[in-house]
Amino acid sequence: VLLQVHIRWAQPSRFCSWFGGFGLLRPFHTHVRTFVRAAIESGVHYVDVAEAPGFVRQVQAFDEEARQADVALMSGMSVVPGLTALLAQSLHFDRADSIRTFVAPGTRGSRGLATVRSLLGGVGQPLRMLRNSREMIARGWSEPEWIVFPPPIGWRLQYLAIETADRDVLSREFDAQGI
């Protein structure tokens, strides 16, 4: 079901109260602060599927304000880092020294233009990494490493390709020293 909603930007809180919760997609991603603040003021929980670290950090900046209003803010609930966090949590540990994730686009179907642009957009770009509790900068498509995935996938050559919100979400949730 596709629902198109035309919003008068002067009334984001009305949008919150109509739908009881919401997430942001383009072009709304440029108004994250407006919508998150409206959700908190309206007492509405907020969930998004963001993967961009800067976007997730903007939402996380409202954490204390949301807690005081008893509003849940869940940003970054896409495959990376949302599914990663869910899988790590299912292992039932309170703290991890290091969490490493490897995500690869499927090999059996065609890759869409957005996937290709996203992956190639990371070439040579600075990536903020957390290693041994210290932030460092690596470059996109660097540090090749052979990884063994369970059958039927097998060996894959992986690179540090693009920056995702894993670093922020997983380090906060699991106190990991390396992401």
Side-chain angles (χ1 to χ4, degrees):
V1 174
L2 175 63
L3 174 64
Q4 286 189 319
V5 180
H6 298 278
I7 301 165
R8 292 182 55 204
W9 291 110
Q11 299 177 337
S13 61
R14 180 176 291 174
F15 178 77
C16 292
S17 64
W18 286 340
F19 293 100
F22 64 95
L24 300 178
L25 299 172
R26 293 177 186 226
F28 307 118
H29 72 281
T30 57
H31 301 282
V32 64
R33 299 179 79 71
T34 302
F35 279 95
V36 171
R37 179 162 273 114
I40 293 168
E41 291 172 358
S42 301
V44 174
H45 302 298
Y46 172 90
V47 178
D48 69 47
V49 293
E51 292 182 349
F55 186 98
V56 172
R57 284 184 212 114
Q58 285 185 60
V59 174
Q60 287 177 345
F62 289 91
D63 187 60
E64 186 56 38
E65 188 178 335
R67 286 178 193 268
Q68 290 177 5
D70 200 27
V71 170
L73 296 183
M74 294 177 279
S75 185
M77 296 295 109
S78 186
V79 170
V80 180
L83 186 55
T84 305
L86 181 64
L87 290 171
Q89 187 178 29
S90 72
L91 298 174
H92 303 291
F93 56 83
D94 295 326
R95 184 182 168 280
D97 291 332
S98 179
I99 299 174
R100 298 182 68 204
T101 60
F102 300 93
V103 177
T107 58
R108 291 210 169 105
S110 64
R111 293 182 180 123
L113 181 59
T115 299
V116 173
R117 280 186 176 163
S118 175
L119 291 173
L120 292 179
V123 174
Q125 296 298 312
L127 307 176
R128 293 176 347 124
M129 307 294 294
L130 185 64
R131 292 188 178 152
N132 298 321
S133 299
R134 302 176 86 187
E135 187 172 296
M136 61 162 289
I137 301 293
R139 293 285 171 191
W141 287 91
S142 65
E143 302 185 26
E145 179 181 358
W146 284 98
I147 305 296
V148 181
F149 287 91
I153 298 170
W155 288 91
R156 295 293 165 110
L157 183 59
Q158 297 289 307
Y159 294 85
L160 294 175
I162 57 175
E163 186 174 18
T164 66
D166 274 21
R167 179 205 177 276
D168 299 299
V169 173
L170 297 176
S171 63
R172 182 190 72 231
E173 294 299 320
F174 300 103
D175 194 27
Q177 299 173 16
I179 305 291

